Amino acid sequence: MNQVIIEYLRIYNVWLLGVLLLIQCIGIPTGGTLLVIASGAFAYAGEFNIFILFIEVWIFLCIGDVIAYMLWNLIGHKILNKYPKLRIYVKPKILKGHKYLEKHGKGAVFYTRFLISPMGPFINAAAGITEYKLSHFAVFAALGELFWACMYLGLGYWFGDSWENIIPIITQISRIFVYIIILIIILYFFIKILKEK
């Protein structure tokens, strides 16, 4: 399957990559990370200009994050307005999420772009639903995506012809980060419950 997508990338160039990155920002896994690494390797081989590719990838990621924010903002409120019982149940959680994002939103948006990128779509959704300030979201998402684009394009470019060998390592590292974050969240709530009791 990955080989087919890579062949399509060679045929349709950056437009396929851009569409897949936009969809990935919404939260649908598309293999965009793999394609960005592959694109970096193709740039090493002379198929793409690495600087133009970097700008294109970065712009698509920034647009994708803003679209995801706006989509969740629109859909979240429509669903809550349509189902009043759900709104009553969720409203305290939305207020809590809003307070959290007001306090830690810049860091949460920034670090979930590249360091713990599997959490990025969840932060996009939370920021949209809680109406976190769009200007702050867009700026820190753009800064984080700058690191993401540098990191993954750079890996592909650096490893060149042997770029496929690093894919399993990157996948494992991403999973480990997600597991660590989940463990920290569980420990946080566990300690909080113990303190309340």
Side-chain angles (χ1 to χ4, degrees), residues 2 17 40 63 66-67 79 87 89 94 102 136-137 141 158-159:
N2 289 338
L17 180 61
I63 291 169
V66 171
I67 288 171
I79 291 171
R87 185 176 62 221
Y89 175 74
I94 290 174
E102 285 300 317
H136 289 178
F137 176 84
W158 179 268
F159 283 92

Side-chain angles (χ1 to χ4, degrees), residues 79-182:
I79 291 171
L80 293 177
N81 289 335
K82 191 172 182 179
Y83 301 103
K85 288 183 180 177
L86 180 65
R87 185 176 62 221
I88 291 166
Y89 175 74
V90 173
K91 195 164 185 176
K93 291 164 180 48
I94 290 174
L95 290 171
K96 199 172 187 179
H98 183 74
K99 285 179 185 173
Y100 176 83
L101 286 173
E102 285 300 317
K103 193 173 181 182
H104 306 289
K106 293 173 185 173
V109 171
F110 178 71
Y111 289 115
T112 56
R113 298 309 101 179
F114 69 97
L115 190 59
I116 43 174
S117 55
M119 300 296 287
F122 297 107
I123 294 295
N124 292 352
I129 291 170
T130 62
E131 296 182 337
Y132 179 66
K133 198 170 182 181
L134 180 58
S135 59
H136 289 178
F137 176 84
V139 166
F140 285 92
L143 289 172
E145 296 298 11
L146 189 72
F147 280 89
W148 190 93
C150 285
M151 189 166 65
Y152 288 110
L153 275 174
L155 280 169
Y157 193 83
W158 179 268
F159 283 92
D161 295 333
S162 59
W163 67 272
E164 290 180 23
N165 297 334
I166 61 169
I167 299 297
I169 297 166
I170 291 166
T171 305
Q172 289 297 333
I173 290 171
S174 294
R175 282 187 189 146
I176 289 167
F177 271 122
V178 170
Y179 294 149
I180 289 169
I181 295 295
I182 290 169

